[in-house]
């Protein structure tokens, strides 16, 4: 005869077996999450470095254009004074 306690014991044994099998899967998920975070950090760092390099090039270009514009305007100003 199967008793209520017997059914509960079988359920607990099944649950214990399920947990025992789940632990390696959970560890693999944890390792995968850590690796994913590492990849995200590396990607963010690379994107930041590229963005800063492009920004530096852009600002350098703006300074060069500004310097050339000043030289041209100063030249025009001096030719206007000669007239």
């Amino acid at each position: 005869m199967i008793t209520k306690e017997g059914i509960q014991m079988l359920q607990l044994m099944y649950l214990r077996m399920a947990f025992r099998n789940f632990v390696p899967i959970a560890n693999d998920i944890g390792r995968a999450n850590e690796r994913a975070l590492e990849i995200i950090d590396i990607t963010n760092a690379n994107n930041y470095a590229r963005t800063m390099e492009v920004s530096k090039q852009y600002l350098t270009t703006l300074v060069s254009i500004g310097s050339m514009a000043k030289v041209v305007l100063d030249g025009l100003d001096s030719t206007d004074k000669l007239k």
Side-chain angles (χ1 to χ4, degrees), residues 5-78:
E5 289 80 16
I7 292 173
Q8 188 177 20
M9 186 180 76
L10 288 173
Q11 288 173 337
L12 290 173
M13 286 173 58
Y14 179 77
L15 187 61
R16 184 174 180 202
M17 182 182 67
F19 278 137
R20 189 178 327 120
N21 292 334
F22 179 73
V23 168
I25 295 169
N27 288 338
D28 288 344
I29 292 170
R31 276 188 234 108
N33 286 344
E34 288 174 9
R35 182 68 183 135
L37 290 174
E38 288 175 14
I39 291 169
I40 289 169
D41 289 343
I42 291 168
T43 303
N44 284 342
N46 289 342
N47 287 343
Y48 179 79
R50 277 189 237 123
T51 301
M52 292 309 292
E53 183 61 31
V54 169
S55 296
K56 181 180 172 187
Q57 291 171 357
Y58 178 71
L59 290 174
T60 303
T61 303
L62 286 178
V63 168
S64 297
I65 291 170
S67 298
M68 287 188 294
K70 181 168 181 357
V71 168
V72 169
L73 290 173
D74 287 347
L76 289 174
D77 186 44
S78 65

